Amino acid sequence: SARKHGGLLKVNIAAASGAGREDVRTARTAQTKVYFHVENESVSFGEHVRVVGNHPSLGAWQSENGVVLTTNEAIFPVWISDGPTCVELHAKVEYKYVVCNSDGTVREWEAMEGNRKFVASGTEMTIEDDNGEYRIKMGLEEEDGEAEEEKELLTSRSPGVKNMDKEQKLAFVQDLEGSVEIGATDTVFMLAFQLPIKVEKASDGTWKFNEKAPSDGRNFAFLPLLQELKKKRKVKVVNVGWPGVHVDNFLDRQAIEKLLAKHDFVPVFPPRKEFEGFLQFCSGFLWPVFHDSMQIFQSSKTEPFSEQGWAAYQHINNLYANAVVPHTHQSDFIWIQDYHLMMSPTFIARKLNKANIGFYLHAPFPSSDSFKSLPVREELLAGMMSADQLGFQFMSYARNFLISCKRIYGLDPTFKAGGFMGLDYNGRNIMIKVSHFAYPYEASREVVNSEEVQKTTRQVKEFFKGRTLFACMDRCDGLSGLLQKFLAFKGFLSEYPEYKGKVALVQYCFPSLGGYDDQTFVDALNGQADAFLSSKDNGDLELITKDGSGSMEGCDIFLRIEKVERSERLALFRAADVLLDTSVKNGLNLMPFEFITAHHDGTDAKACIVSEFSGCSRVLLGCLRINPFNNSEMASSFRRALTMGNDERKERLECNIQYVSRNSPMRWFEDFLTDLRRARKKDDVRVESIGFGARIRQVCIGQDFQKLPIDAVLHSYRQSKNRVFFFDNEGTLAADRRTLYREYGAPKEDVSDLQSRGSAPNVQVMECLRTLCADSRNTVVILSGRNREMMENWFGSIPRIGLAAERGFYYKLPFTTGDQWHCMVQEPDYTWKTFAYEIMRQFVRRTQGSFIENKGSALVWQYRDADQLFGAWQAKELSSHLKELLFGFDLEIMEGKGYVEVKLRGIHKGTAVTKVLSKVSQAFGEADFVMCIGDDRSDEDMFEAVNLILDPSEVNDAASQMSTTDDGSDEQSDGPRPGALGGVSKSDGVLGQKRANSGKLGGSGSLSGNLRGGGLSSLCSSGDLRGSLGGGLSSLADEMTTSQLQRRHFTCTVGRKPTAAKFFLDDTDEVSELLDSLKQQQEKRLFSKDANYNTWSGGDLSGGKASRVQSMPTISSLAFAESFSEQ
């Protein structure tokens, strides 16, 4: 039997065209590694087993050339091959085993009719002619690839899991999510649009606090949670929001603040005009869009999107942030509720960058197509992603959010042990929490059993005596599906006339956030209703008919549009027989939960009909689900609810009661807070705000990451004599315009005809590079992924410049290679590119928006312009095929963000940097100034290489050493300066031992005014002046010992982002400014002073071939040193 590793090859390489076909014929074919296992007990001492076959690697039936098998005490009588035997992929092989004497002669061929056979497939395969005996002896288990990966993952977390007992395994599983403790000393700041209480002004002018929550929205459900938290004193909760009243008088504001502070409420008093614009933006724009209703963009209004409304939305969000910031600190929880305050996380994070912020979206998140249509889509995403944790009601809403992040930002979700899901964004991991809000069952049941509700229930039943009630309460807008509901109910009565006069639909409506703005919609509802209900002063229901008769005869649909107290709503549900929900889109919809709670005792089993577009339909499995757009289905559901057997009705109700009663707001609250604490930003990172306006984003970077200090760079530049510069091109020296060039569709040419486009630096940058290269003490190297021809075309006109093309695969260093290009590999093999190109071309044909890019030593399949999800699927499939097809080549196949790359193993910019530094060290000695600047992922290898070679964490013992290089005259002062960081011989390695400094940049002021020594400063060398020149210079040496060492190497990335670099510059313009500063420093030295001024060895500043400046002699080596010291 043959155990195959890897899938079967599915690509036909013979499709290559032109010269490509010849390359395929002559190129090295893909091969399969074959291992042999056989069991043979008849082998005597000194004998061995060989496998011989028709394939050349098996000796072509010549036993002396067969593959020798070996055995040992642990596995005998199993014989195995020591190494793989390489066979062409899909080759048909015949073979037999033979026992040979010690001299290699044949003793016995395998006794069997015919030959053994196998077909080479996959990257590796093991021929098990031992019936699996080898695996049994070695204790191996046959597992598939996925099981093997899971085993390795589990083993990496805890190597001893298999040996754990039951209790240890349980503890191990519990540790996966980590322990988090939240106690009474913690504080939670809950931000919501409106406080869950009422503030009223009494007749005597004083303000009073009323814990009777507003009946609209979800405040009625939040209040029981807050009361329970306060009663149990589990954690302190401070609510921040609008108190429900507008107060213009300052004294009234103070009175309300003082009143609410006693109950842990912080009121927000927004300006009335901006608040109205905010409400209109929320209800008229965000609410329909987040429910996938895009009719606002089909409106005849001249301004479908209100810039004034957006400005008001941001202003109100900022007010809420300003209200909470003075009361909190970074250890507190800040929990923001719903779409009204989506920008608040950004405004809070600007002021408290380590704040632990959670955001929970009660409304559904729209589909990616709907969200992408928003003019402020990136601003809203940036606002949400300033939080540490994002909460959604259901996975479908979280999925929409993740898809939007994928298509707008290219972000993929990450998954961690314990079931955690998140997004890695700008160095932060934003946790995604999926858990719907729980209805306060216990608190609501007490309200249902109250005398007030029981009394109103009897009144409603008496009012509709003799009729079966269909009832519900919805928001008065189109998303509630009210018109569809009314039309479907009339259609039901028309189809089943026997129910006319026996059933009634009672519809309560509460106003939307902005009130009843759409009068046309309200008029349409009134037109469909048969009668209207209202409340009298004594609380009794009043019937208003269209004909004014006051008779219920002939009326089937009863409408009530006004604010209704919660007790009245519960009384309606208690009296009703069927709940009818026809929402077109609803995040959760608490009304079915409330209807079920109203019938908690189960005395009369009631039916519940909910829309499949309401979130509650996914958890209330006892309800009848309907499509509100299908009138016939709705009519059938109405009749089924009326004719359903009592047993089925009771079973469905009990199923719903069981779910509602077991899920409490307290559990939802604690689960969210626990995970929010886990999502807190780490203490060992620094958080910075990057960007402008509403698109500002939070970036987590290392504590030592800072902007490149230009003054410190110039100072170190002046003090050094052996400088090395590494620059990336596109995105660093030149603007990155790669996105402007695309060649979609499958290319028809050969791989060699693929074009690579890029951009060269501007004239100013080229002149700066020319000036730097003119100094023989400078080594300037440009590293790029572009080919040699492009690099020569761009930079070939600059004398003495070093170039590294194709990420260092080819390099040219004038001081070693002259004008000739050298290759990292002596005899590069490019035959693999024909195979990779052909299969990539097939994927380009079938993946719209993808293309192939040739980078010389690498071939890249780019899909960043394709659909991100489909592109990611295709990338995984392509990567799998490439790994199988290119087996046997020394290659790396990498999957990155928007690309799949095939490149030669070990070839990257880090390797090139290491080689250049080695060459510099061999030619000129240790580099005492290294600057490395890049912008993208390929430059991270360059940063890591420099950081590894030049570790700044150690303190140099030669801290007090001075140096007099031939640029000593660059200083305006003649005071002494810190010198090169220690002298290391070439034999110590690439750059000798690791050099160090303080890691911090000292101020330049200490180099002039505070340092003394006069003209002798230009003659100072290490230590000699400390003992020989007495007080003044001795104290100077002590002063230099205590000062911070100056950094001599700089790794810098363009843009603030997580990186291995130590510094950053914001954009290519700042890189140009840095180069211009270096150019001015060089020109200052060239034109203001003589080249040999104040130096011991004249440096060649003409760009000639003179050797680099050597170290100056110490004073003790001079002829007058002895007499000088005696004086």
Side-chain angles (χ1 to χ4, degrees), residues 99-206:
V99 179
C100 298
N101 298 313
S102 58
D103 58 359
T105 59
V106 176
R107 180 177 73 82
E108 180 184 17
W109 282 87
E110 183 180 10
M112 63 175 299
E113 294 184 3
N115 300 321
R116 298 179 184 267
K117 300 177 182 180
F118 72 87
V119 177
S121 59
T123 57
E124 292 185 4
M125 62 186 304
T126 300
I127 307 300
E128 292 188 330
D129 293 325
D130 62 342
N131 296 319
E133 190 66 25
Y134 175 77
R135 288 186 288 111
I136 296 175
K137 288 181 175 293
M138 297 301 294
L140 302 176
E141 296 179 1
E142 186 171 4
E143 299 173 336
D144 59 19
E146 293 182 359
E148 190 68 33
E149 291 179 3
E150 293 176 1
K151 177 182 176 182
E152 291 177 0
L153 182 62
L154 187 62
T155 304
S156 64
R157 294 192 186 118
S158 178
V161 170
K162 296 181 69 174
N163 300 324
M164 290 182 180
D165 57 24
K166 181 178 179 181
E167 289 74 15
Q168 290 174 327
K169 288 184 178 180
L170 181 60
F172 169 74
V173 173
Q174 292 173 346
D175 287 341
L176 289 177
E177 64 177 6
S179 59
V180 174
E181 294 184 0
I182 301 176
T185 58
D186 292 305
T187 303
V188 181
F189 287 85
M190 189 88 74
L191 274 72
F193 156 67
Q194 187 174 1
L195 293 175
I197 48 89
K198 288 183 178 181
V199 176
E200 300 172 343
K201 197 169 187 178
S203 57
D204 59 357
T206 60

Side-chain angles (χ1 to χ4, degrees), residues 655-955:
C655 174
N656 288 333
I657 291 176
Q658 185 180 31
Y659 181 83
V660 175
S661 62
R662 289 186 177 181
N663 291 272
S664 67
M666 179 62 71
R667 180 183 299 176
W668 171 80
F669 178 86
E670 291 176 344
D671 285 349
F672 190 93
L673 282 188
T674 302
D675 285 345
L676 179 58
R677 173 60 63 85
R678 293 189 178 100
R680 181 188 296 274
K681 303 176 186 71
K682 297 180 180 179
D683 295 331
D684 59 348
V685 299
R686 190 172 82 248
V687 183
E688 289 194 358
S689 297
I690 298 177
F692 299 96
R695 294 189 182 184
I696 195 169
R697 60 190 187 277
Q698 307 300 312
V699 178
C700 283
I701 55 181
Q703 292 283 8
D704 298 330
F705 191 59
Q706 55 184 303
K707 191 161 187 176
L708 183 67
I710 305 299
D711 291 340
V713 171
L714 296 178
H715 171 69
S716 297
Y717 179 85
R718 292 192 296 265
Q719 300 305 306
S720 55
K721 62 180 179 180
N722 190 2
R723 315 175 188 118
V724 182
F725 295 87
F726 297 103
F727 295 113
D728 174 48
N729 181 37
E730 291 164 284
T732 304
L733 297 178
D736 190 355
R737 296 189 176 91
R738 285 172 288 188
T739 57
L740 301 179
Y741 304 104
R742 293 288 186 275
E743 291 188 7
Y744 298 124
K748 298 180 181 179
E749 301 84 3
D750 185 64
V751 62
S752 60
D753 296 326
L754 284 177
Q755 295 182 351
S756 179
R757 292 187 174 91
S759 54
N762 57 37
V763 177
Q764 177 186 354
V765 173
M766 295 291 286
E767 286 302 317
C768 293
L769 294 175
R770 191 183 306 275
T771 302
L772 288 178
C773 292
D775 191 339
S776 63
R777 296 170 301 174
N778 295 342
T779 299
V780 181
V781 182
I782 311 297
L783 301 98
S784 175
R786 302 303 174 187
N787 57 37
R788 290 170 288 175
E789 291 75 15
M790 296 183 71
M791 296 290 286
E792 284 282 6
N793 185 40
W794 290 342
F795 302 101
S797 62
I798 301 178
R800 299 186 65 255
I801 194 170
L803 300 177
E806 300 178 15
R807 297 180 182 174
F809 186 63
Y810 290 101
Y811 64 93
K812 181 178 74 169
L813 300 175
F815 64 86
T816 58
T817 67
D819 293 332
Q820 300 298 318
W821 286 90
H822 282 213
C823 183
M824 286 283 189
V825 181
Q826 291 184 353
E827 296 181 0
D829 180 11
Y830 287 112
T831 55
W832 60 269
K833 293 184 72 173
T834 304
F835 300 103
Y837 171 73
E838 179 58 32
I839 190 173
M840 285 183 179
R841 186 163 65 171
Q842 294 185 18
F843 273 79
V844 168
R845 292 194 189 104
R846 295 163 182 84
T847 310
Q848 186 180 34
S850 65
F851 61 96
I852 305 173
E853 187 176 5
N854 185 9
K855 292 190 175 181
S857 62
L859 204 61
V860 185
W861 182 71
Q862 300 275 8
Y863 65 93
R864 57 176 175 261
D865 293 333
D867 180 86
Q868 291 295 310
L869 292 176
F870 179 65
W873 296 338
Q874 292 287 76
K876 290 182 179 179
E877 188 71 14
L878 173 61
S879 178
S880 175
H881 285 315
L882 288 171
K883 289 176 182 177
E884 183 175 11
L885 177 67
L886 301 178
F887 172 77
F889 293 98
D890 194 19
L891 301 171
E892 291 181 78
I893 299 173
M894 302 174 58
E895 288 186 62
K897 183 178 177 181
Y899 69 90
V900 175
E901 181 178 14
V902 183
K903 66 176 185 176
L904 294 175
R905 189 180 304 278
I907 300 299
H908 51 75
K909 291 184 180 180
T911 307
V913 164
T914 303
K915 180 172 281 294
V916 171
L917 290 175
S918 175
K919 297 289 186 182
V920 170
S921 178
Q922 294 170 10
F924 307 115
E926 180 188 10
D928 54 6
F929 178 92
V930 177
M931 171 163 284
C932 180
I933 306 180
D935 74 301
D936 61 16
R937 176 61 188 87
S938 65
D939 299 316
E940 294 298 316
D941 298 323
M942 185 165 59
F943 301 147
E944 291 173 359
V946 173
N947 292 336
L948 180 64
I949 298 172
L950 308 170
D951 188 357
S953 62
E954 300 173 2
V955 177

Side-chain angles (χ1 to χ4, degrees), residues 51 55 128 199 203 288 301 358 473 556 596 736 801-802 919 1068 1085 1087:
V51 56
H55 193 270
E128 292 188 330
V199 176
S203 57
K301 297 179 181 180
M473 182 171 182
D556 301 306
I596 294 167
D736 190 355
I801 194 170
K919 297 289 186 182
T1068 56
R1085 185 180 181 285
F1087 299 112

Side-chain angles (χ1 to χ4, degrees), residues 210-282:
N210 187 351
E211 287 198 0
K212 193 172 185 180
S215 58
D216 54 349
R218 65 187 58 82
N219 284 309
F220 71 88
F222 261 113
L223 188 58
L225 170 63
L226 300 176
Q227 292 170 343
E228 184 179 358
L229 287 169
K230 188 175 182 180
K231 182 179 179 181
K232 295 183 177 180
R233 296 184 178 180
K234 284 193 171 185
V235 64
K236 183 179 180 181
V237 179
V238 178
N239 285 268
V240 181
W242 180 51
V245 293
H246 287 287
V247 181
D248 299 324
N249 188 295
F250 179 73
L251 295 178
D252 285 340
R253 290 188 180 184
Q254 280 190 324
I256 294 176
E257 289 175 353
K258 185 176 180 180
L259 173 67
L260 295 180
K262 301 177 183 178
H263 304 276
D264 293 328
F265 290 103
V266 177
V268 179
F269 299 103
R272 191 184 300 267
K273 182 178 180 181
E274 285 82 355
F275 190 69
E276 291 176 355
F278 163 79
L279 293 180
Q280 180 58 38
F281 185 81
C282 289

